């Protein structure tokens, strides 16, 4: 079995909002990569033994006092380096070039023009000497360092692409990692596969084989427990661990009464009956609803639900007396964001409940087989493992479930109404072909009543809001422009079929300024 970590790209982060997208593009080229802070020490860089290095963009100016820099020896390692935006400016300044404030800042679309001989990296990037790109910079390179040649420019920036082919050093002022640069993915693929000479062994099948071998070595004959939520990450983790150790795995599925319609039965059918995984189902609807009585603050609701889940999970875990390991569906973005929160170097960061250890009294070791993977990679290996396509590719669902899609206090009546309305909405999105075009869609229960007319009678019932967004990274999102006839059909079905609803509204807010979820 090949070492899937042998070929690897090191990405050094200078605080760009797009850095994780760089990593995802490298992984899409079937090459392993890791993202680390810009000030990673040289010895750590050398011991990482990268096949190539990418320097990300960032919000600073390279000529400012205290501007972030990298270990100078990095450029002497003899491995290819690609600098993106700030990364290109840093490389230029390091080798004696000059970076200055741009007379006109560039944010958004620009046309790139080929200059001179494009070379191996840029050869396929231009069509008829031109390529559309996405810019986001207020500085530009005014003087190119000795040994480098200009290969691209725009109307506002004379230096948009540079290279020193003899030393395998490359820089681009634009952002090839974002979808707004149509051939950017090709450029990153060319860098890692042709310039860095990586063969591309990071594939779902190879990842599964490697993970299974590591789980078996790590766990041995010990018992493992896993909190199964029915979400993509925990589901794929369960299937992967079960392939590795079979009946040594026991899953605990806590049904909190805040799941989607039929979800509890679906989880049991998929794992217990079809895959043969041992699953303990805990029906805890009454406990969760009781704990949430009278609480309307969304953050407090989240904490109540999260804390009670942990408590119930612990109650069930102690019944499995021989358990030595706790498995979690931690994925790579969780690890990155938590590390950023600890170092203070990352922008737009959060801590994550899956990262950071266990309560001391649990005395279990952590098993996190997905912690190197991005969400799209998790989905890929989920399909490779044989999980249902609809489960693997369904839209994100918040950890607190319907508890944060019911505005204000959570009641069983509200949850039952919302479950039914949401099921109709999702069913219609599937049947009309919209579901897989949408990044996330769901219904929200509004605890307000409005007057309506049904038949010859007056009604005074609740409102549900429908939400659907398109996004690539969930940092920003646009509302999905649903055809009116589809909205009319969905609204009609919900009002006619869900007792307690007489009004349906459609959310046309983008993120920002709104968030995707309402709470």
């Amino acid at each position: 079995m090949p070492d899937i970590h042998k070929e690897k790209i090191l990405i050094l982060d200078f605080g760009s909002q797009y850095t994780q997208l760089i990593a995802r593009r490298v992984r899409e080229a079937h090459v392993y990569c890791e993202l680390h802070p810009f000030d990673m020490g040289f010895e750590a860089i050398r011991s990482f033994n990268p096949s190539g290095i990418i320097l990300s963009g960032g919000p600073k100016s390279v000529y400012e006092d205290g501007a972030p820099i990298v270990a100078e020896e990095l450029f002497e390692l003899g491995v290819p380096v690609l600098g993106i935006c700030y990364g290109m400016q840093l490389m230029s300044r390091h080798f004696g070039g000059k970076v200055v404030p741009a007379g006109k800042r560039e944010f958004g679309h620009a046309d790139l023009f080929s200059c001179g001989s494009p070379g191996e990296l840029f050869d396929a990037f231009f069509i008829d000497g031109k390529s559309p790109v996405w810019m986001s910079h207020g500085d530009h390179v005014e003087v190119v360092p000795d040994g480098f040649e200009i290969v691209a420019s725009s109307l506002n920036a004379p230096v948009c692409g540079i290279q020193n082919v003899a030393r395998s050093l490359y820089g681009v002022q634009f952002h090839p990692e974002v979808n707004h640069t149509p051939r950017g993915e090709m450029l990153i693929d060319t860098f890692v596969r042709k310039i860095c000479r990586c063969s591309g062994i990071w594939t779902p099948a190879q990842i599964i084989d490697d993970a299974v071998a590591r789980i078996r070595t790590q766990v041995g004959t010990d018992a493992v427990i896993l909190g199964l939520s029915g979400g993509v990450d925990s589901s794929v983790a369960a299937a992967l661990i079960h392939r590795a150790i079979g009946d040594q795995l026991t899953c605990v599925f806590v049904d909190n009464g805040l799941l989607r319609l039929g979800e509890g039965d679906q989880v049991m059918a998929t794992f217990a009956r079809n895959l043969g995984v041992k699953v303990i189902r805990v029906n805890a609807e009454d406990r969760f609803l009781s704990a949430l009585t009278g609480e309307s603050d969304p953050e407090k609701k989240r904490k109540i639900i999260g804390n009670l889940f942990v408590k119930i999970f612990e109650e069930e875990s102690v019944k499995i007396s021989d358990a030595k390991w706790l498995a979690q569906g931690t994925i790579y973005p969780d690890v990155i964001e938590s590390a950023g929160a600890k170092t203070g170097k990352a922008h737009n960061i959060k801590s994550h409940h899956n990262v950071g250890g266990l309560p001391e009294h649990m005395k279990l070791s952590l098993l996190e087989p997905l912690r190197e993977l991005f969400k799209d990679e998790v989905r890929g290996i989920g399909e490779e493992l044989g999980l249902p396509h609809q489960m693997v590719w369904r839209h994100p669902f918040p950890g607190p479930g319907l508890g944060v899609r019911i505005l204000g206090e959570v009641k069983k009546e509200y949850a039952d109404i919302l479950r039914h309305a949401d099921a109709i909405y999702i069913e219609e999105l599937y049947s009309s072909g919209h579901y897989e075009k949408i990044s996330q869609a769901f219904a929200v229960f509004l605890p307000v009543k409005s007057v309506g007319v049904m038949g010859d009678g007056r009604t005074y019932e609740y409102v549900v809001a429908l939400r659907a967004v398109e996004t690539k990274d969930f940092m920003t999102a646009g509302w999905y422009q649903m055809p009116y006839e589809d909205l009319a059909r969905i609204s009609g079905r919900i009002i006619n079929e869900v007792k307690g609803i007489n009004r349906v509204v459609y959310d046309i807010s983008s993120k920002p300024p709104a968030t995707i979820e309402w709470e």
Side-chain angles (χ1 to χ4, degrees):
M1 185 172 65
D3 178 4
I4 61 174
H5 300 89
K6 183 177 181 181
E7 300 174 342
K8 51 193 173 186
I9 301 296
L10 173 63
I11 302 169
L12 295 181
D13 181 18
F14 291 88
S16 169
Q17 62 179 314
Y18 303 132
T19 305
Q20 284 195 34
L21 294 181
I22 302 173
R24 288 175 60 188
R25 298 295 171 261
V26 173
R27 298 285 185 89
E28 287 167 4
H30 302 302
V31 177
Y32 179 69
C33 65
E34 287 186 16
L35 197 159
H36 289 277
F38 66 86
D39 58 356
M40 184 180 186
F42 178 68
E43 287 306 316
I45 293 173
R46 184 161 61 180
S47 64
F48 185 80
N49 192 27
S51 305
I53 298 172
I54 298 178
L55 309 178
S56 85
K60 301 287 187 180
S61 294
V62 295
Y63 48 77
E64 292 178 1
D65 290 339
I69 58 173
V70 293
E72 292 192 3
E73 303 96 326
L74 176 149
F75 296 106
E76 309 305 322
L77 268 178
V79 301
V81 180
L82 171 64
I84 296 176
C85 198
Y86 183 94
M88 183 187 89
Q89 296 168 9
L90 179 71
M91 183 189 301
S92 298
R93 187 175 171 88
H94 173 83
F95 285 102
K98 185 177 181 181
V99 179
V100 298
K104 183 178 180 181
R105 298 184 300 172
E106 267 187 315
F107 294 97
H109 171 84
D111 286 321
L112 208 67
F113 301 96
S114 175
C115 303
S117 175
E120 189 173 27
L121 178 62
F122 296 94
D123 189 41
F125 188 69
F126 294 100
I127 296 178
D128 295 329
K130 184 179 176 181
S131 188
V133 297
W134 187 260
M135 294 285 195
S136 180
H137 66 101
D139 299 325
H140 67 221
V141 176
E142 185 177 65
V143 178
V144 176
D146 292 341
F148 287 77
E149 59 179 321
I150 303 173
V151 293
S153 64
S154 72
L155 293 177
N156 292 319
V159 182
C160 290
I162 60 173
Q163 62 183 11
N164 183 325
V165 176
R167 301 188 61 171
S168 294
L169 301 176
Y170 302 86
V172 293
Q173 184 59 70
F174 57 94
H175 287 273
E177 68 271 30
V178 303
N179 287 290
H180 298 297
T181 299
R183 289 190 285 279
E185 183 178 340
M186 178 195 304
L187 186 140
I188 292 177
D189 186 285
T190 301
F191 177 73
V192 300
R193 297 293 291 271
K194 293 185 177 180
I195 304 297
C196 299
R197 303 293 185 256
C198 294
S199 59
I201 54 177
W202 184 260
T203 64
Q206 299 279 24
I207 293 168
I208 290 170
D209 289 345
D210 179 79
V212 166
R214 283 194 288 159
I215 291 167
R216 288 172 177 167
T217 299
Q218 193 174 0
V219 170
T221 60
D222 295 339
V224 178
I225 57 175
L226 181 147
L228 184 62
S229 69
V232 175
D233 300 336
S234 70
S235 296
V236 173
L240 183 59
I241 296 168
H242 183 257
R243 174 171 289 194
I245 61 173
D247 286 346
Q248 291 168 240
L249 170 67
T250 300
C251 296
V252 177
F253 172 52
V254 179
D255 188 340
N256 59 13
L258 301 170
L259 302 176
R260 289 167 282 203
L261 188 68
E263 186 164 19
D265 293 338
Q266 180 192 37
V267 169
M268 296 303 293
T270 299
F271 287 94
R273 291 198 285 276
N274 295 344
L275 295 180
V277 180
K278 288 194 295 187
V279 183
I280 298 171
R281 181 174 184 173
V282 183
N283 292 309
E285 179 182 51
D286 291 344
R287 290 180 67 176
F288 278 90
L289 292 177
S290 177
L292 289 164
T293 300
E295 187 55 68
S296 59
D297 180 84
E299 284 306 306
K300 290 180 181 178
K301 288 194 294 183
R302 287 178 183 275
K303 289 179 180 178
I304 289 169
I305 294 167
N307 291 339
L308 185 53
F309 177 88
V310 171
K311 182 178 180 180
I312 295 173
F313 182 78
E314 289 180 2
E315 291 170 2
E316 296 301 320
S317 300
V318 297
K319 299 176 185 177
I320 308 170
S321 57
D322 58 342
K324 301 285 182 63
W325 297 84
L326 172 66
Q328 294 188 151
T330 308
I331 63 174
Y332 195 43
D334 304 335
V335 177
I336 294 169
E337 289 161 358
S338 291
K342 291 173 185 175
T343 63
K345 294 187 176 71
H347 287 235
N348 299 320
I349 53 180
K350 65 176 181 180
S351 59
H352 193 276
H353 67 279
N354 271 353
V355 183
L358 297 167
E360 289 185 12
H361 65 272
M362 287 194 73
K363 307 291 184 188
L364 296 174
S365 300
L366 268 180
L367 179 64
E368 299 174 311
L370 308 180
R371 67 180 287 121
E372 292 181 339
L373 305 177
F374 285 98
K375 178 73 81 174
D376 50 347
E377 294 175 305
V378 172
R379 295 186 194 277
I381 68 169
E383 287 208 300
E384 189 83 15
L385 288 165
L387 290 176
H389 178 85
Q390 190 166 324
M391 172 180 277
V392 171
W393 289 97
R394 67 180 176 180
H395 296 167
F397 189 62
L402 301 183
V404 290
R405 290 182 177 172
I406 296 169
L407 302 195
E409 183 181 5
V410 177
K411 297 180 181 180
K412 178 172 173 51
E413 175 197 2
Y414 298 168
D416 289 341
I417 289 173
L418 179 57
R419 242 189 297 272
H420 194 178
D422 187 76
I424 292 171
Y425 183 30
I426 299 304
E427 179 186 316
E428 285 292 334
L429 292 181
Y430 272 116
S431 64
S432 60
H434 290 295
Y435 188 85
E436 295 197 1
K437 299 175 185 177
I438 295 169
S439 304
Q440 190 169 358
F442 54 91
V444 179
F445 180 87
L446 308 185
V448 293
K449 289 187 173 183
S450 68
V451 174
V453 177
M454 289 187 181
D456 294 322
R458 174 186 183 275
T459 62
Y460 190 55
E461 295 177 333
Y462 293 107
V463 182
V464 292
L466 306 181
R467 181 77 158 136
V469 298
E470 293 178 291
T471 178
K472 292 294 183 182
D473 52 24
F474 288 88
M475 293 184 291
T476 61
W479 62 278
Y480 184 74
Q481 298 189 32
M482 192 90 65
Y484 292 153
E485 58 269 25
D486 293 326
L487 283 173
R489 186 176 61 257
I490 294 165
S491 173
R493 278 199 61 192
I494 291 174
I495 291 171
N496 286 322
E497 298 177 33
V498 183
K499 186 177 180 181
I501 296 294
N502 69 356
R503 193 176 298 271
V504 175
V505 299
Y506 190 60
D507 184 350
I508 60 169
S509 311
S510 295
K511 175 188 178 183
T515 53
I516 294 175
E517 295 283 350
W518 279 43
E519 284 194 343

